[in-house]
Amino acid sequence: MRHPHSNDAQMDDERPEPLSMAIPLASLAFVAVLQAGPVILSSDDIGDNYYDAVPAELRQQITWLGLFIKEPKADENTAESRLEAAQVGFAPHKAAGTTVYRLVTTPQGAELLIAGVPGLSAGAATTADRFIDLGGEKRTADIRLGTRLYRIRLHSEDPNYCDAVIVLTEADRIQKLFDAAESGATNDLGLVVSCDEPHFRIHWAGDLDRDGRLDMLVTFSRKYSYHPRQLMLSSGAGPGELIAEVARYDRFAQ
């Protein structure tokens, strides 16, 4: 739903439309499949990322938690952060004869937006890392959270990544998070995506549920046009696991 046109100075003067207002649908460049349940948005979905129309499922959400990050000092590995109640609106902007919309938050500057995820509440959080793209020469990332050192690694011999496996380790524990050889299931039980230009991003890593262990918001996808925002929490982990997916929000590019 990103739009190539940007005019930050003009956008600052525009007021967001309340989500309760009916906004005409336009041709979508990025489509979110209408889905019940939680919604998770990354920084790729907020701010200077334009929507051709306001997705219906975002209008339906009433209560949001936003993650607000205080930039760390130069000698700090982690950033003090907070989950706070946030309001979400869409600021209209005229571009090339059409109206596009920018998602904005009150307070301003939310890095993540979460709605409908059980077990998360307003309060302190910790940010350990952001914006990690795996692939090419970047196959490994280390994430330090307190005294814990996590390593996330992409294994692949296929230049197209259709054999990609992503694993997470901490001390002597290891967990597979993604396997491109498995079924490309989505939230739509009738829709399975094929392997076609997979892409892998860690949007955010840190501690949201305040248990001192790693949580992440990621997009691990088998297909170039499929962009699932996957929220993984340590508090959802089962026996032998470090982390578990607790919510997924599916988006598709046209």
Side-chain angles (χ1 to χ4, degrees):
M1 285 185 272
R2 287 178 290 180
H3 195 279
H5 299 287
S6 177
N7 187 331
D8 291 338
Q10 183 173 355
M11 289 299 300
D12 289 340
D13 296 331
E14 293 166 347
R15 296 181 180 180
E17 298 281 1
L19 290 185
S20 59
M21 290 185 64
I23 300 176
L25 293 181
S27 170
L28 288 180
F30 212 145
V31 177
V33 173
L34 187 60
Q35 53 199 287
V39 174
I40 310 102
L41 301 178
S42 75
S43 58
D44 289 347
D45 308 308
I46 306 167
D48 295 331
N49 299 280
Y50 290 87
Y51 294 71
D52 291 326
V54 180
E57 66 271 26
L58 300 192
R59 286 204 301 264
Q60 294 169 357
Q61 298 294 335
I62 298 173
T63 304
W64 293 89
L65 285 174
L67 180 69
F68 298 86
I69 300 172
K70 181 180 179 181
E71 289 300 322
K73 297 178 181 178
D75 58 346
E76 294 178 337
N77 293 321
T78 58
E80 179 183 342
S81 308
R82 287 193 63 82
L83 280 173
E84 297 181 12
Q87 294 180 335
V88 170
F90 285 84
H93 173 60
K94 293 287 186 181
T98 62
T99 300
V100 293
Y101 301 88
R102 182 178 68 162
L103 190 157
V104 294
T105 65
T106 305
Q108 296 181 351
E111 288 278 343
L112 311 178
L113 283 168
I114 299 169
V117 177
L120 292 182
S121 59
T126 301
T127 296
D129 214 332
R130 290 178 278 174
F131 316 128
I132 302 171
D133 290 307
L134 298 176
E137 296 181 359
K138 180 73 171 180
R139 299 294 185 96
T140 301
D142 289 339
I143 302 170
R144 184 174 293 279
L145 189 62
T147 60
R148 300 177 185 272
L149 178 62
Y150 296 85
R151 173 164 290 178
I152 190 162
R153 184 186 296 272
L154 169 67
H155 299 272
S156 178
E157 301 295 333
D158 183 348
N160 296 318
Y161 297 113
C162 283
D163 65 342
V165 174
I166 297 174
V167 298
L168 177 68
T169 60
E170 191 262 326
D172 59 350
R173 303 172 67 188
I174 183 169
Q175 179 183 353
K176 182 172 70 173
L177 301 181
F178 174 86
D179 189 340
E182 295 177 351
S183 171
T186 70
N187 279 331
D188 182 346
L189 298 180
L191 179 62
V192 175
V193 298
S194 60
C195 186
D196 185 4
E197 298 183 25
H199 52 104
F200 319 106
R201 165 168 271 209
I202 302 168
H203 300 280
W204 175 91
D207 184 12
L208 284 180
D209 53 19
R210 298 187 279 277
D211 65 356
R213 296 178 172 84
L214 182 67
D215 306 315
M216 295 191 296
L217 177 65
V218 306
T219 296
F220 296 157
S221 174
R222 302 171 79 246
K223 190 174 183 67
Y224 69 92
S225 58
Y226 178 43
H227 297 257
R229 306 305 190 213
Q230 298 150 265
L231 183 63
M232 298 184 171
L233 298 181
S234 56
S235 54
E241 294 182 328
L242 293 165
I243 200 168
E245 181 180 309
V246 299
R248 177 184 299 199
Y249 178 64
D250 285 351
R251 296 178 64 186
F252 295 85
Q254 282 188 328

